[in-house]
Amino acid sequence: MAIAKPAARPANPRFSSGPCAKIPTFDVQNLADAPLGRSHRAAVGKARLKAAIDGTREVLGIPDDYLIGIVPASDTGAVEMAMWSLLGARPATMVAWESFGAGWVTDVVKQLKIEAEVKTAEYGQIVDMAALDYDTDVVFTWNGTTSGVRVPNGDAIPADRAGLTICDATSAAFAQDLPWDKLDVTTFSWQKVLGGEAAHGMLILSPRAVERLETYTPAWPLPKIFRLTKGGKLIEGIFRGETINTPSMLAVEDYLVALDWARSVGGLTGLIARADANAQAVWAFCDANDWIANLAEDPVTRSNTSVCLKFTDARITDGATFAKAVAKRLEAEGVALDIGAYRDAPAGLRIWCGGTVETADIEAMLPWLDWAFHAEIEALAQAA
Ligand SMILES: Cc1ncc(COP(=O)(O)O)c(C=O)c1O
């Protein structure tokens, strides 16, 4: 017999892995100070852009000698810009254990055609980061958003490497500790952990990455929106808020408000604790139910943001159809939106646990997952 529907519902059913839930205090009124209809190059606009850069440095604890720029085309723009501007000076190692990392591999191997060693792992697993050659340039994703597998720490990356490390940290920044001394290029976008608005990318460069930019010119042409240097010198204004092209000042204001909220919950430490508590609630649910499991095989690699789950019940014959039906049932009840696994990932669910999500909402949603699972199992039995 089907189990009864739970009595309580999450106050906010948004568990999408991007764009992610807005900050709990979000109110459009809080954006009223945005300098709308003004030039982003006016003093007021430049000050806001610089505040976004300074706030990023402060909350993430980015060293003073690293540069931070706001660039076009979201995280993809930032990663592409880094790869097209920096790679080719030495061989590359391309690392992927889910779909976004795989996309960067394709770019480097098929588009840039750089000599590269490609290291991949299946969904749920991770590449051995200690086995890589760090005299090459290493491109990797810190948190695999579509597999829920993350790099546990930067210990495997040597301090005295000759190559650069280029790290897509879009679903890690503001939720996981990033070892800045081990990362030469780090990227993320605003709509992930801080629940910001899309279309702007953050590009963070170590002094060694800047040195590469100023001493190496790629053999291929670079479009204006990728260009970080002029006449062999870094365009420094980009890293003070003089963006390459026009940003949305509404999105900038929203990011500034999100940074303020981040400070109010204890900054990076508080954000990490919130994500950990959310993920822990989901992990505990998996431990308590033998029909669902974390896609990440090794507990130390389990993501605390994009928690990916697989159904393990032997009665399920078509995993993809089953998972979609569960997600649809939860969506129809208005208790969990957008939690189907990513289209290229194994069948299952993905529950965003970043700091803008309230643990109480995760806890209120999980009994519904139990209900939806049993309802679908019963539907299977009836159809048989
Ligand atoms: C790991 C990773 N890289 C890149 C992207 C693409 O990000 P954007 O849409 O900000 O370009 C995503 C989006 O989910 C992602 O999760």
Side-chain angles (χ1 to χ4, degrees):
M1 234 188 55
I3 62 169
K5 285 184 189 175
R9 288 166 188 271
N12 185 355
R14 294 175 183 81
F15 303 108
S16 152
S17 293
C20 303
K22 303 295 287 179
I23 56 172
T25 54
F26 178 75
D27 184 335
V28 167
Q29 291 305 323
N30 296 343
L31 309 183
D33 288 343
L36 303 183
R38 293 291 313 276
S39 167
H40 60 295
R41 307 214 188 268
V44 64
K46 274 202 216 161
R48 286 287 201 288
L49 289 157
K50 184 167 179 306
I53 290 172
D54 293 346
T56 302
R57 188 184 305 281
E58 176 211 325
V59 175
L60 289 180
I62 298 170
D64 287 344
D65 57 350
Y66 279 46
L67 298 182
I68 305 171
I70 300 168
V71 302
S74 210
D75 180 65
T76 308
V79 176
E80 296 285 5
M81 183 177 226
M83 294 198 305
W84 288 71
S85 300
L86 293 164
L87 293 183
R90 51 177 63 233
T93 302
M94 299 298 301
V95 187
W97 50 86
E98 51 85 61
S99 107
F100 284 101
W104 311 140
V105 175
T106 303
D107 247 58
V108 166
V109 174
K110 297 215 168 114
Q111 300 291 326
L112 287 170
K113 300 188 171 43
I114 288 168
E115 183 193 333
E117 178 151 16
V118 178
K119 302 268 192 190
T120 58
E122 292 302 314
Y123 279 87
Q125 298 171 5
I126 194 166
V127 167
D128 179 3
M129 296 296 286
L132 306 181
D133 177 0
Y134 290 93
D135 286 342
T136 68
D137 294 329
V138 177
V139 181
F140 68 105
T141 302
W142 193 273
N143 183 87
T145 321
T146 66
S147 70
V149 170
R150 68 153 138 171
V151 181
N153 56 56
D155 294 356
I157 304 173
D160 61 349
R161 62 198 174 276
L164 299 178
T165 49
I166 299 180
C167 174
D168 171 359
T170 200
S171 53
F174 297 109
Q176 300 169 11
D177 264 320
L178 294 170
W180 299 107
D181 57 329
K182 304 293 180 78
L183 304 176
D184 295 304
V185 178
T186 310
T187 67
F188 68 90
S189 50
W190 293 346
Q191 74 276 13
K192 284 281 196 277
V193 180
L194 286 192
E197 292 304 297
H200 302 76
M202 298 302 278
L203 178 69
I204 301 160
L205 302 177
S206 75
R208 291 179 60 243
V210 174
E211 188 199 355
R212 170 78 64 83
L213 280 172
E214 293 192 322
T215 53
Y216 163 70
T217 307
W220 42 84
L222 287 176
K224 177 176 170 179
I225 59 163
F226 280 5
R227 284 205 294 271
L228 293 165
T229 57
K230 191 174 177 191
K233 293 296 292 175
L234 192 75
I235 305 172
E236 287 181 0
I238 294 174
F239 303 95
R240 289 193 299 261
E242 294 160 26
T243 49
I244 298 174
N245 64 346
T246 315
S248 156
M249 296 313 294
L250 197 59
V252 171
E253 196 70 15
D254 182 68
Y255 182 62
L256 291 174
V257 170
L259 283 170
D260 272 343
W261 172 80
R263 292 179 184 102
S264 79
V265 297
L268 183 59
T269 314
L271 288 169
I272 293 174
R274 286 176 66 92
D276 282 350
N278 289 341
Q280 187 57 54
V282 181
W283 299 342
F285 180 84
C286 292
D287 289 344
N289 291 285
D290 60 5
W291 45 265
I292 193 157
N294 205 300
L295 190 58
E297 288 170 17
D298 180 351
V300 304
T301 68
R302 288 192 298 209
S303 171
N304 64 348
T305 55
S306 56
V307 177
C308 294
L309 306 175
K310 60 184 176 190
F311 292 104
T312 53
D313 192 294
R315 288 167 291 182
I316 302 169
T317 47
D318 179 346
T321 304
F322 186 87
K324 274 192 191 132
V326 169
K328 196 171 159 200
R329 212 174 259 272
L330 294 170
E331 187 141 348
E333 288 290 341
V335 292
L337 306 178
D338 312 323
I339 65 161
Y342 189 73
R343 57 178 186 262
D344 299 334
L349 302 176
R350 179 173 57 163
I351 297 165
W352 184 256
C353 289
T356 57
V357 171
E358 301 278 22
T359 307
D361 287 336
I362 297 268
E363 286 169 346
M365 180 272 292
L366 291 168
W368 285 93
L369 176 51
D370 188 44
W371 164 79
F373 167 78
H374 285 99
E376 282 307 318
I377 286 288
E378 183 162 287
L380 278 185
Q382 277 170 7

